[in-house]
Amino acid sequence: MQLLRIKETIRFMSARKVSMAFSALLILASIFSLTFKGMNMGLDFTGGTAVEVGFSQPADLPKVRSTLAENGFPDASVTLFGSSQDVLVRLAPRDDVKAEILGNQLVDALKQVDSNVEMRRIEFVGPSVGEDLKEQGGLAMLTALLCILIYVAFRFEWRFAVGAVAALFHDVILTMGLFSLLGLEFDLTILAAILAVIGYSLNDTIVVSDRIRENFRKVRIDDTLEIIDISLTQTLNRTLVTSITTILVLVALFVWGGQTIHGFATALLFGVFIGTYSSVYVASSVAVAMGVSKEDLIPVEVEKEGADLDAMP
């Protein structure tokens, strides 16, 4: 299925300087927000108390959240756990209250929603565990980027590898900057969404890089910018179809998925937009700025052994 037919080459690279300046401005704004405002870390990273409770009937999560907020638990994270009657409540750490007492206070508050509610399990996650999760999550992200750098350098050319990783750093920093700026909670679910954004953006970048390499070898034009424009125009239809279908699914998750995956859908929605943009402009513009040319991707002809002897009269 073709979304549109493009008869003329779109001059994407003519706006590369403007797009790079725009991206640099967004990155600086994200770094500024991350430095001075920081991230609103969730309980996965800060530690806290997790309480599993059971209701006698399907739980009304909005009512549960409002009841807890009215009874001194405005920071409670409420999600279903297994069935519609099992609810997991996570609370931020409180130094002056023991976990058992906190759990009893929580159950007393929830009895306003269901008088037969019962506490089934209570666990305390210390800050040290949260720090370990933060370190492991950051290490997973850096490892993924390093592996991508090695793969793209081996598969295509090292300038494209640098461009691909620059685009991925661009996407990660801007997504984290959005969460910092808006004060949205950042937990392991959001970290998983960022890793998914890396995969999505990389897939788009690989498709574009493969088409550029193919056209460098096939199109008889020496202008690097024109070949990249041709390649981006040829892959635009595929990029739009992929992005639009993905966005439709994410919008459905964002609107009807509930609060549990609201942050996950937000990160992916923004990531798809910014990932599509970076695949077109950031990755290719960085490769151009580093001096990629047609000669870098044309395979070197190897003379066959004895070719000189065969050519002799």
Side-chain angles (χ1 to χ4, degrees), residues 87-129:
V87 175
L88 181 66
V89 182
R90 295 184 296 175
L91 303 171
R94 301 187 181 185
D95 298 332
D96 55 339
V97 183
K98 293 183 179 180
E100 293 80 4
I101 299 176
L102 198 61
N104 292 331
Q105 293 175 350
L106 181 72
V107 172
D108 291 339
L110 291 177
K111 285 183 178 180
Q112 300 177 23
V113 180
D114 186 346
S115 58
N116 295 320
V117 67
E118 59 179 9
M119 182 171 61
R120 296 179 177 174
R121 176 174 60 93
I122 183 168
E123 294 180 354
F124 175 74
V125 180
S128 60
V129 177

Side-chain angles (χ1 to χ4, degrees), residues 72-272:
F73 299 101
D75 58 344
S77 173
V78 182
T79 57
L80 291 176
F81 189 75
S83 69
S84 61
Q85 296 176 252
D86 299 320
V87 175
L88 181 66
V89 182
R90 295 184 296 175
L91 303 171
R94 301 187 181 185
D95 298 332
D96 55 339
V97 183
K98 293 183 179 180
E100 293 80 4
I101 299 176
L102 198 61
N104 292 331
Q105 293 175 350
L106 181 72
V107 172
D108 291 339
L110 291 177
K111 285 183 178 180
Q112 300 177 23
V113 180
D114 186 346
S115 58
N116 295 320
V117 67
E118 59 179 9
M119 182 171 61
R120 296 179 177 174
R121 176 174 60 93
I122 183 168
E123 294 180 354
F124 175 74
V125 180
S128 60
V129 177
E131 286 295 325
D132 290 340
L133 289 173
K134 190 186 302 183
E135 292 177 3
Q136 293 299 322
L139 183 61
M141 192 180 303
L142 290 175
T143 302
L145 292 174
L146 179 61
C147 291
I148 289 168
L149 177 66
I150 296 173
Y151 166 75
V152 179
F154 178 77
R155 182 73 172 80
F156 297 100
E157 208 268 342
W158 69 270
R159 294 177 182 85
F160 281 105
V162 174
V165 173
L168 297 181
F169 267 115
H170 171 274
D171 300 341
V172 170
I173 291 175
L174 292 191
T175 304
M176 294 181 66
L178 176 71
F179 273 74
S180 173
L181 184 64
L182 299 181
L184 301 176
E185 185 177 285
F186 189 90
D187 53 20
L188 286 178
T189 305
I190 308 305
L191 179 61
I194 290 179
L195 292 175
V197 168
I198 290 176
Y200 178 89
S201 179
L202 176 66
N203 176 65
D204 215 10
T205 303
I206 291 296
V207 171
V208 171
S209 299
D210 188 58
R211 184 57 61 91
I212 292 173
R213 180 183 61 174
E214 179 183 345
N215 285 334
F216 266 142
R217 297 175 177 179
K218 183 175 65 175
V219 178
R220 295 188 176 184
I221 300 175
D222 292 330
D223 190 345
T224 298
L225 296 181
E226 186 172 356
I227 292 178
I228 293 178
D229 284 335
I230 293 172
S231 304
L232 291 172
T233 303
Q234 291 173 347
T235 57
L236 182 62
N237 187 72
R238 177 260 176 205
T239 299
L240 291 177
V241 170
T242 304
S243 299
I244 291 173
T245 52
T246 306
I247 287 171
L248 290 176
V249 175
L250 293 175
V251 167
L253 287 176
F254 183 85
V255 176
W256 295 291
Q259 185 175 355
T260 306
I261 60 173
H262 190 269
F264 180 82
T266 301
L268 281 178
L269 265 175
F270 181 76
V272 168

Side-chain angles (χ1 to χ4, degrees), residues 51-62:
V51 183
E52 182 186 345
V53 295
F55 288 80
S56 60
Q57 55 189 355
D60 185 352
L61 294 188

